[in-house]
């Protein structure tokens, strides 16, 4: 029997990472945990190491790595602990790593995810920001290395399942008219726009369908998450922004659809559980059991759809504009959003000011063409600085 595939989980202590480990544990003959990263969540990372016994673990810095190394030695584990961005990239590109789950949230996941792609791994992409920020560079590295990229966001995984393999030659060549990217609408789908000024972080993080981290939950509430997914879809499926339409679907049962020129619309349905796309990508082109219960359409009873309201969700339109502008615009959009969301979670700004900060940053800095990774990182730094200046000007 072939050896189990060695899986590195970047962002193991987050919701995607934990769901990945749950699926892996169901198939010990097929998969083994090679490396786990948890950065500053040392207690959670230590607990995961005790269960999965990886060869490597990665913590945030050298001090935390030394502390975790000592604890794991006392636990009787031989796991080697590394640190920092260098450690993340090293385990992602390690010669013995077969599969990399890229589940670090935000811009912090860019370099290790790119390292995995450049090393020709099977990359399970949950870190949409890596592709949003460096789309052209990312896709070029993918082509040059021969890596296999499989989307983990439920929407992109659904689109992937609904497209024929030949779509890589262009959506038009396989008769695709448009991609329908579904969105739950988040907790504020029914809120009047004027009510949004007073919503709290707790309200924004109370997603009606999905269990996610705080940052992604806020992005879902503002629909910036869907905007980032729109940009990601353009790169993943070689689509123009006007070929991607966002549709609010409150039940989160249809994860996305593909509309063909002959009138056919193919959809992927399932319970809102991230173990489904994770299992699909881990085993592709095969299918394995994920632990997700069967979908009961009779119990669901109805499926609703509506168009997003731009006055309620201005972040979605800002993301679409960035996709159309190209160059460094998506990287600036992402960076400004990260600063704004952190400020909102820390109660420094109102929910509605997230879009205000992003809009201000995008209007102050014209996008430029991306020639190398430093161009992306420079745009990211500049946007964060501009967002910080907005906070300073407005006494936040």
């Amino acid at each position: 029997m072939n050896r189990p595939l060695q899986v590195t989980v970047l962002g193991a202590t987050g919701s995607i990472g934990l769901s990945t480990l749950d699926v892996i544990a169901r198939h010990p003959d097929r998969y083994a945990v090679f490396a786990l990263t948890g950065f500053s969540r040392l207690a959670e990372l230590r607990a995961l190491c005790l269960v999965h016994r990886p060869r490597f673990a990665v913590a945030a810095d050298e001090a935390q790595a030394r502390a975790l190394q000592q604890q794991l030695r006392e636990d009787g584990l031989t796991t080697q602990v590394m640190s920092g961005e260098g450690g993340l990239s090293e385990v992602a590109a390690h010669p013995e790593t077969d599969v990399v789950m890229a589940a670090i949230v935000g811009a912090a996941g860019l370099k290790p995810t790119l390292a995995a792609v450049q090393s020709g791994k099977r990359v399970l992409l949950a870190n949409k920001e890596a592709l949003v920020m460096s789309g052209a560079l990312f896709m070029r590295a993918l082509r040059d290395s021969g890596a296999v990229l499989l989307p983990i966001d439920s929407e992109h995984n659904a689109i992937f399942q609904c497209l024929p393999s030949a779509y890589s030659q262009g959506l038009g060549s396989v008769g695709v008219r448009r991609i329908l990217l579904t969105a739950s609408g988040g907790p504020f789908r029914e809120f009047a726009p004027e009510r949004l000024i007073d919503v709290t972080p707790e309200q924004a993080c109370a997603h009606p369908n999905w269990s996610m981290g705080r940052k992604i939950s806020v992005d879902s509430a503002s629909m910036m998450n869907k905007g980032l997914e729109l940009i990601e879809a353009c790169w993943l499926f070689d689509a123009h922004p006007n070929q991607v339409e966002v549709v609010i679907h409150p039940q989160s049962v249809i994860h996305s659809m593909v509309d063909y020129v002959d009138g056919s619309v193919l959809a992927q349905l399932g319970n809102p559980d991230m173990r489904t796309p994770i299992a699909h990508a881990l085993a592709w082109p095969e299918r394995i059991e994920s632990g997700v219960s069967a979908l009961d359409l009779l119990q669901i009873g109805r499926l609703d759809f509506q168009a997003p309201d731009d006055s309620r969700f201005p972040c979605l339109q800002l993301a679409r504009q960035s996709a159309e502008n190209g160059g460094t615009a998506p990287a600036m959009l992402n960076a400004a959003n990260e600063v704004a969301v952190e400020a909102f979670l820390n109660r420094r700004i109102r929910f509605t000011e997230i879009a205000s900060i992003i809009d201000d940053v995008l209007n102050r800095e014209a996008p430029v063409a991306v020639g190398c990774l430093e161009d992306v990182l420079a745009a990211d730094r500049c946007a964060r600085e501009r967002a910080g200046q907005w906070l300073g000007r407005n006494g936040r």
Side-chain angles (χ1 to χ4, degrees):
M1 184 175 67
N2 294 332
R3 71 174 179 86
L5 291 176
Q6 301 296 303
V7 183
T8 287
V9 183
L10 303 176
T13 59
S15 61
I16 296 294
L18 294 175
S19 292
T20 301
L21 293 172
D22 179 88
V23 175
I24 288 173
R26 296 171 187 274
H27 303 277
D29 56 325
R30 297 182 63 121
Y31 309 105
V33 175
F34 182 75
L36 296 175
T37 83
F39 238 47
S40 59
R41 296 182 178 176
L42 286 193
E44 293 94 329
L45 185 56
R46 178 186 183 184
L48 291 176
C49 288
L50 287 170
V51 173
H52 300 282
R53 297 181 174 269
R55 181 168 168 186
F56 294 100
V58 183
D61 54 41
E62 291 186 10
Q64 293 189 13
R66 287 194 296 271
L68 180 60
Q69 186 72 79
Q70 180 61 34
Q71 292 171 342
L72 294 180
R73 284 174 179 164
E74 293 171 359
D75 295 329
L77 269 61
T78 59
T79 300
Q80 180 181 340
V81 183
M82 305 166 76
S83 66
E85 192 175 76
L88 293 174
S89 294
E90 186 170 341
V91 297
H94 196 285
E96 294 181 46
T97 294
D98 300 307
V99 181
V100 175
M101 167 55 79
I104 297 173
V105 175
L110 171 58
K111 285 188 176 180
T113 304
L114 195 56
V117 168
Q118 291 168 335
S119 300
K121 308 301 183 186
R122 173 181 285 226
V123 179
L124 280 53
L125 186 67
N127 171 254
K128 65 178 67 66
E129 292 88 352
L131 195 51
V132 166
M133 293 175 65
S134 66
L137 296 175
F138 196 100
M139 299 308 290
R140 188 185 311 146
L142 186 69
R143 291 190 295 270
D144 291 346
S145 68
V148 175
L149 185 66
L150 295 164
I152 295 301
D153 275 344
S154 61
E155 296 83 0
H156 302 91
N157 185 266
I159 295 163
F160 179 81
Q161 293 192 51
C162 293
L163 285 172
S165 58
Y167 80 84
S168 58
Q169 300 173 18
L171 294 180
S173 69
V174 293
V176 172
R177 180 160 42 201
R178 58 183 175 156
I179 289 170
L180 298 169
L181 196 64
T182 59
S184 70
F188 305 140
R189 176 174 51 87
E190 302 289 348
F191 275 46
E194 58 270 18
R195 289 184 60 196
L196 294 175
I197 194 171
D198 293 321
V199 300
T200 66
E202 290 74 22
Q203 288 175 297
C205 291
H207 196 282
N209 299 337
W210 296 94
S211 175
M212 306 181 293
R214 283 166 60 80
K215 193 268 181 182
I216 297 177
S217 294
V218 175
D219 283 349
S220 179
S222 70
M223 285 198 70
M224 176 56 84
N225 196 47
K226 205 55 50 180
L228 297 176
E229 288 176 6
L230 184 154
I231 298 170
E232 182 183 8
C234 290
W235 287 113
L236 283 172
F237 308 116
D238 194 21
H240 189 274
N242 64 16
Q243 292 178 290
V244 183
E245 182 177 335
V246 175
V247 178
I248 290 181
H249 167 51
Q251 291 85 3
S252 296
V253 169
I254 296 178
H255 297 298
S256 274
M257 297 170 276
V258 177
D259 176 24
Y260 289 85
V261 294
D262 63 3
S264 300
V265 177
L266 301 188
Q268 186 265 339
L269 286 71
N271 287 316
D273 190 317
M274 288 305 298
R275 290 177 297 175
T276 295
I278 290 168
H280 173 265
L282 271 173
W284 182 83
E286 300 178 48
R287 299 271 182 173
I288 59 173
E289 192 273 328
S290 66
V292 179
S293 58
L295 181 65
D296 187 344
L297 285 173
L298 295 179
Q299 183 179 7
I300 293 166
R302 59 182 288 175
L303 301 173
D304 298 306
F305 306 94
Q306 64 189 72
D309 181 350
D310 288 345
S311 66
R312 187 182 290 115
F313 301 118
C315 286
L316 180 58
Q317 189 58 34
L318 290 170
R320 184 176 289 277
Q321 291 170 0
S322 294
E324 293 170 351
N325 291 338
T328 54
M332 292 189 293
L333 171 95
N334 178 73
N337 180 64
E338 288 191 11
V339 173
V341 169
E342 182 180 9
F344 170 68
L345 287 171
N346 290 329
R347 304 179 193 278
R348 297 175 63 193
I349 65 170
R350 296 180 184 273
F351 180 77
T352 50
E353 290 176 318
I354 293 174
S356 300
I357 291 175
I358 299 167
D359 188 44
D360 181 79
V361 169
L362 294 178
N363 283 324
R364 286 176 179 273
E365 293 295 327
V368 298
V370 173
C372 62
L373 184 58
E374 181 51 40
D375 293 335
V376 175
L377 299 177
D380 178 88
R381 290 193 297 269
C382 179
R384 290 175 191 277
E385 180 180 343
R386 295 296 190 209
Q389 289 171 357
W390 187 100
L391 293 171
R393 288 197 310 271
N394 290 275
R396 311 302 170 84

